[in-house]
């Protein structure tokens, strides 16, 4: 059985009320949703709240899920709306706080990297690189940031990103191009 | 900071590091527990079905519709068809009719699939309901035919 059809079985079971099937879907997609929310700029609590609300909304609305997009795309669409709404509601963040938050995010990444590889020099470089990239991402407009994360980190296809963000693949390409240009400018110090 | 040769290479390296971050964080366990608690509270719309008659003390046994739907859904999910909708028609908490919307896999015979589906549904009813409960009629409506390859990611 292909992974896609196995997932559709779980979706159908959950639609008919099978909570265990839904729990499997939550575990399969939730951690990536949480990562996306954090990388979009939500703090830990905001990200957790947005993911919970998106998943509970998915449960309520499963009977209306027509399967025209993938289940993952549908979940990310529910999440993206909530994350963007949360960021809009937030008071303007002073630049210093943004940098501080991104440094914290970099620290957690460095801790993760230290598990993955034992080379201290490599870990230190990756720590700095991820910190710099987190900071650069936070400087992007929200749509460009979402396009870049969904493409480069979540590895979605252009049409999936378009479905997630409620736009067209052409618009996704444009936003991605601008995001890459700006990130390259901001990472110039690493030349 | 000359560890990477170009900004592009630096971004690629940082992106790889981001992708390999562990996903199952300690916080995730709390989130999934909270989601599933809320899901259980919400449940799915639907009541209970009575099984058998009251005993001498007036005690009753019932089963929720969601349990019956789950059993039926699993029984109907074969390689050649699956249920898209399962409607349980009840009268005073008694199951009086079952209506199934069935999706066939391409090249599956509709007649055979409907017959198999009815047989599977009635087998579940016999298992779940009391012997004294009459087996309900089962309506099968074929609503779609799909190509199994289209489900591959």
């Amino acid at each position: 059985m292909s992974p896609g059809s196995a997932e559709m079985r779980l979706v159908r079971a959950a639609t008919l009320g099978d909570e265990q099937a839904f729990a499997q879907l939550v575990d399969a997609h939730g951690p990536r949703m949480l990562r996306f929310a954090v990388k979009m700029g939500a703090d830990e609590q905001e990200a957790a709240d947005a993911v919970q609300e998106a998943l509970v909304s998915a449960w309520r609305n499963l009977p209306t899920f027509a399967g025209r997009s993938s289940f993952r795309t549908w979940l990310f669409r529910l999440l993206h709306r909530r994350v963007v709404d949360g960021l809009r509601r937030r008071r303007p963040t002073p630049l210093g706080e943004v940098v501080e938050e991104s440094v914290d995010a970099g620290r957690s990444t460095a801790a993760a990297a230290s598990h993955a590889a034992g080379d201290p020099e490599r870990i230190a470089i990756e720590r700095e690189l991820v910190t710099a990239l987190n900071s650069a991402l936070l400087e992007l407009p929200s749509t460009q940031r979402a396009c870049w994360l969904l493409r480069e980190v979540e590895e979605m296809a252009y049409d999936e990103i378009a479905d997630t963000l409620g736009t067209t693949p052409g618009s996704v390409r444009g936003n991605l191009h601008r995001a890459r240009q700006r990130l390259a400018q901001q990472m110039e110090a690493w030349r | 900071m000359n560890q990477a040769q170009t900004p592009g290479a630096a971004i690629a390296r940082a992106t790889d590091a981001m992708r390999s971050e562990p996903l199952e964080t300690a916080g995730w366990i709390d989130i999934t527990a909270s989601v599933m608690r809320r899901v259980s509270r919400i449940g799915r719309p639907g009541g209970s079905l009575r099984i058998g008659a009251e005993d001498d003390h007036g005690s009753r046994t019932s089963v929720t519709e969601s349990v019956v739907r789950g059993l039926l859904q699993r029984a109907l999910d074969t390689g050649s068809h699956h249920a898209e909708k399962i409607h349980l028609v009840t009268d005073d908490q008694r199951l009086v009719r079952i209506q199934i919307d069935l999706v066939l896999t391409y090249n599956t015979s509709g007649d055979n699939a409907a017959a198999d589906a009815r047989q599977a549904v009635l087998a579940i009813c016999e298992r779940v309901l009391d012997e004294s409960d009459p087996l309900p009629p089962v309506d099968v409506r074929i609503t779609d035919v799909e190509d199994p390859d289209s489900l591959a990611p």
Side-chain angles (χ1 to χ4, degrees), chain A residues 7 68-74 76-77 150-151 154-169 172, chain B residues 153:
Chain A
E7 176 162 281
R68 280 189 289 272
S69 60
S70 75
F71 186 66
R72 175 175 74 146
T73 304
W74 188 60
F76 272 81
R77 183 158 68 231
L150 292 173
R151 177 67 190 163
E154 301 308 326
E155 302 179 278
M156 282 189 185
Y158 289 135
D159 57 342
E160 288 181 305
I161 300 171
D163 270 347
T164 301
L165 304 181
T167 183
T168 62
V172 170

Side-chain angles (χ1 to χ4, degrees), chain B residues 87-128:
Chain B
H87 182 50
L88 305 178
V89 183
T90 60
D91 179 23
D92 192 24
Q93 290 193 306
R94 298 287 183 192
L95 187 57
V96 295
R97 182 174 283 273
I98 298 178
Q99 295 168 329
I100 309 284
D101 281 1
L102 206 61
V103 176
L104 305 189
T105 305
Y106 189 67
N107 270 346
T108 300
S109 149
D111 280 349
N112 290 346
D116 290 348
R118 278 194 189 90
Q119 196 174 19
V121 168
L122 292 176
I124 295 292
C125 290
E126 280 180 333
R127 250 176 63 198
V128 175

Side-chain angles (χ1 to χ4, degrees), chain A residues 7 10 22 30-31 49 52 61 63 91 99 102 129 162 166:
Chain A
E7 176 162 281
L10 290 175
F22 189 69
D49 289 347
Q52 283 189 50
N61 292 293
R91 63 181 169 77
V99 173
S102 68
L129 274 171

